Amino acid sequence: MEDNSFYYLLWSNLVAMCPYDTGNMQSNIKLYDYGDFWEIEITAPNEKSGDYAKDVNYALKAKRDGRAPKGKEIHNYMWVERTIKQTAESISGSVSYEL
């Protein structure tokens, strides 16, 4: 699979798997081709909480509230990482993270 095909597949899977409440986050998943590399940006600007996308992916509201994540927060926890892994595995690839 060519690189551009993988990134289009990943982008479409992220849009499809995105937690949906108002559609704000889903409509703010952008794919950029810079020639030498690709970037997928997931944002959901929210005046009250800052970057809602990061809050949802890492259950940060629960952390700020000093409580364990519950229900929807548990289900949505690290949905981005899960989607990346599932997409890579669907084409017999793998994922590794660099710190």
Side-chain angles (χ1 to χ4, degrees):
M1 177 176 264
E2 293 183 31
D3 282 350
N4 62 347
S5 297
F6 173 75
Y7 287 104
Y8 283 114
L9 176 62
L10 177 56
W11 173 80
S12 65
N13 285 345
L14 286 165
V15 170
M17 299 301 293
C18 177
Y20 190 89
D21 187 18
T22 65
N24 183 28
M25 186 162 37
Q26 190 177 49
S27 64
N28 282 288
I29 300 176
K30 308 292 183 193
L31 175 64
Y32 301 101
D33 176 0
Y34 294 105
D36 292 343
F37 66 96
W38 291 75
E39 177 182 29
I40 296 177
E41 178 182 63
I42 304 170
T43 61
N46 182 315
E47 291 178 20
K48 292 179 184 175
S49 66
D51 189 356
Y52 178 69
K54 188 174 180 179
D55 282 358
V56 170
N57 193 54
Y58 296 114
L60 296 179
K61 183 168 182 348
K63 190 174 197 174
R64 279 194 305 272
D65 293 348
R67 60 173 172 76
K70 52 187 170 182
K72 190 165 59 166
E73 293 166 323
I74 293 168
H75 176 75
N76 294 338
Y77 183 70
M78 295 185 75
W79 72 271
V80 172
E81 289 83 348
R82 283 195 317 271
T83 303
I84 293 169
K85 183 177 183 204
Q86 291 169 352
T87 302
E89 289 173 349
S90 76
I91 60 162
S92 300
S94 62
V95 176
S96 63
Y97 294 95
E98 295 179 17
L99 300 176

